Amino acid sequence: MSPSILALFGFGMVITFMVLIMTRRLSALSALIVIPLVVAGLAGFGPEIGGMAIQGVVALAPTAVVLLFAVLYFGIMIDAGLFDPLVRRVLKAVGGDPRKVALGTAIVALIVSLDGDGATTAMVTITAFLPIYRRLKMNVLVLAVLLGSANAMINILPWGGPTARVASALQLDINDVFLPLIPAILIGVAGVIALAWYLGGVERRRLGVVDVEPEAADFTALREDAPDVARPRLIWVNLILTLAVLAAAITRVLPLPLVFMIGLAIAVTVNYPRVIEQRARIAAHAPNAIGIAVLVFAAGVFTGILDGTGMVAAMGAAFVHVIPPALGPHMGLVTALASGPLSFVMSNDAYYFGIVPVIAEAAGHYGVAPVEIARASLLGQTIHNLSPLVAGVYLVAGMLDVEVGAMQRFGLKWAVALALLLVFGAVITGAVPFGAAGVGG
């Protein structure tokens, strides 16, 4: 099959998937499994579909295990009351002002994102702020947008993932890629704070400022099924354990799935010594944890077929071929603007290892340095963070009890705006030259 036809199948599969889940014709779970199977079958890959799908599932298995055990771990910590004092302090600081709550959400998410793990950032930030949002009746989609936007900005740091991937793919010094982007990242962070100010203002106009007494904050809403499971006397034990788990996750002293497996085993044993209590606590959080893991495995089917059929590579080549020669010297800017849409329809691995090298090779013919293409390719992360192929999307949706499509409809315009702000910052600071004059950057 010709690459152009393969690319059409790939784009058709992605577009069909997005339309069906955003219009609620299919659930994300069904769409992730059924659509790639049907499209791959129509494209003539019938006998190979099974192997491709399983390969994709296996590739995402570690991610699914991390999310499964991490959700259970933090669920146990919520039950035990570890975050109750933090929520009280935050609530006291922000009061009943939705604007301050939104600003607090953005600031905490920016700080927690420094650990480089999006799942941890989501769980810690949502655990701290979700009770406040519910208490004030704020729109939880605001929390989702600020969390995703903050994480996307900080995720460009070398240990966040995308920067390391593109530096490896193009065989570049990671400092040459990252350091010139620092001013643009700071501009993007300022954009996240401004967005929090605006969205918080919208909620303040809708709800007003609520008179909240932090001492009277009721956290049993998080433990409706068993209000007696709090363990306030073990708060320091749980805090030390959680800090140790996070430290192990950040330093990678053990594989990440094993870190949360060990953490869960210790947490549930220390807080609930009786086996019957342990079973009850695990069962209470199992629906959320299993639902997230199932969606990650389903995403593995989608990405496995997209990659295994060669559709990803064909889609990237098609993108390069449609660029008019007049835009060749501006490939840095073109790549920056296209990084969001391209990384939205594929995983970071597929994008940085499969597509960016093709773009860099083409850009080299116009005098654009690979390091400039590398920097440009990082600027669409706010859009990528809303991709249905990102496991964290399902984690956030599950914890907030909202649909992925609702998050995308609410957040996509803000993600695009922040991505454009990043591109603007990178261009005016010279990290991504407008033309080919900056060769050698």
Side-chain angles (χ1 to χ4, degrees), residues 261-276:
M261 292 172 77
I262 295 172
L264 175 63
I266 296 173
V268 74
T269 302
V270 168
N271 287 281
Y272 308 104
R274 298 172 57 201
V275 174
I276 190 171

Side-chain angles (χ1 to χ4, degrees), residues 26-371:
L26 280 180
S27 66
L29 174 64
S30 300
L32 284 167
I33 296 172
V34 173
I35 292 173
L37 294 177
V38 172
V39 173
L42 293 175
F45 291 95
E48 306 163 64
I49 290 176
M52 295 175 186
I54 293 300
Q55 189 171 1
V57 169
V58 170
L60 285 184
T63 299
V65 173
V66 169
L67 293 180
L68 176 64
F69 283 91
V71 168
L72 291 174
Y73 176 84
F74 281 100
I76 295 297
M77 289 296 108
I78 292 172
D79 288 344
L82 171 62
F83 299 100
D84 290 5
L86 173 62
V87 172
R88 287 192 179 95
R89 285 187 172 86
V90 173
L91 191 57
K92 184 177 181 179
V94 302
D97 187 343
R99 173 169 278 162
K100 291 181 180 179
V101 172
L103 288 169
T105 304
I107 292 169
V108 169
L110 287 166
I111 293 171
V112 179
S113 292
L114 290 170
D115 74 350
D117 183 63
T120 302
T121 301
M123 286 182 285
V124 172
T125 306
I126 292 174
T127 300
F129 279 92
L130 184 56
I132 302 174
Y133 275 72
R134 287 176 173 168
R135 185 172 177 81
L136 300 182
K137 296 182 172 22
M138 290 178 64
N139 185 357
V140 295
L141 294 177
V142 171
L143 195 165
V145 167
L146 296 177
L147 168 62
S149 301
N151 183 249
M153 295 298 173
I154 303 302
N155 207 38
I156 301 175
L157 270 61
W159 56 87
T163 303
R165 283 181 175 91
V166 75
S168 300
L170 299 183
Q171 299 182 339
L172 300 169
D173 187 311
I174 199 166
N175 287 328
D176 291 340
V177 177
F178 170 69
L179 294 179
L181 281 174
I182 291 177
I185 294 172
L186 293 176
I187 291 172
V189 168
V192 173
I193 299 298
L195 178 60
W197 177 272
Y198 173 76
L199 292 178
V202 171
E203 290 297 278
R204 177 199 266 180
R205 289 190 292 273
R206 184 173 70 89
L207 301 169
V209 177
V210 181
D211 185 15
V212 175
E213 289 292 336
E215 292 77 15
D218 180 13
F219 300 102
T220 58
L222 292 173
R223 300 181 281 268
E224 291 176 348
D225 62 323
D228 59 341
V229 297
R231 299 291 185 265
R233 293 181 181 180
L234 294 176
I235 187 168
W236 288 107
V237 174
N238 287 325
L239 178 60
I240 292 170
L241 175 60
T242 299
L243 292 176
V245 167
L246 294 178
I250 294 168
T251 58
R252 309 291 190 187
V253 294
L254 290 172
L256 200 54
L258 188 58
V259 169
F260 281 103
M261 292 172 77
I262 295 172
L264 175 63
I266 296 173
V268 74
T269 302
V270 168
N271 287 281
Y272 308 104
R274 298 172 57 201
V275 174
I276 190 171
E277 291 179 319
Q278 294 176 13
R279 290 175 177 170
R281 292 300 88 219
I282 296 296
H285 300 286
N288 188 30
I290 293 174
I292 293 167
V294 166
L295 282 170
V296 173
F297 282 124
V301 175
F302 193 99
T303 56
I305 290 176
L306 198 63
D307 183 53
T309 57
M311 291 180 189
V312 165
M315 291 159 71
F319 165 73
V320 173
H321 290 151
V322 299
I323 297 174
L327 291 179
H330 306 291
M331 280 291 286
L333 179 60
V334 171
T335 302
L337 294 173
S339 61
L342 285 177
S343 62
F344 185 84
V345 300
M346 59 189 73
S347 68
N348 269 335
D349 286 333
Y351 176 55
Y352 288 110
F353 291 109
I355 303 304
V356 174
V358 176
I359 297 175
E361 176 66 24
H365 295 292
Y366 297 99
V368 180
V371 71

